[in-house]
Amino acid sequence: LTIIFNIVKFFLTDGYINSIIEAQQLRRVRIMFAERLKQLRKEKGMTQIDLAKAIGVSNGTVAMWEA
């Protein structure tokens, strides 16, 4: 019973709630970054491979950033 109480207490703390909010904000920032990167790349007429070569990363990395 004490273990269950401690688990419930943990999930109700501000720290846990703040970490959820921060995770949601981070997801939004990642989505915004992915969309903007893809938009700018396409505006420049570049493929993911072109961009990857230009900045020195693998095309898989660019694909991951845009996902």
Side-chain angles (χ1 to χ4, degrees):
L1 190 59
T2 303
I3 293 171
I4 293 171
F5 175 75
N6 287 335
I7 292 171
V8 170
K9 184 178 170 184
F10 169 77
F11 283 108
L12 295 177
T13 62
D14 287 341
Y16 178 75
I17 292 168
N18 286 339
S19 67
I20 291 172
I21 292 169
E22 289 170 8
Q24 290 171 344
Q25 290 172 337
L26 182 58
R27 274 188 229 107
R28 278 190 231 112
V29 168
R30 286 180 179 163
I31 290 168
M32 289 170 48
F33 172 78
E35 291 171 351
R36 185 71 173 136
L37 178 64
K38 187 174 185 176
Q39 176 189 7
L40 291 172
R41 175 181 61 76
K42 287 186 172 191
E43 284 177 8
K44 299 293 181 186
M46 299 176 79
T47 65
Q48 288 180 343
I49 295 170
D50 295 334
L51 178 58
K53 287 179 183 177
I55 62 174
V57 299
S58 72
N59 57 317
T61 298
V62 174
M64 181 182 66
W65 289 343
E66 289 186 3

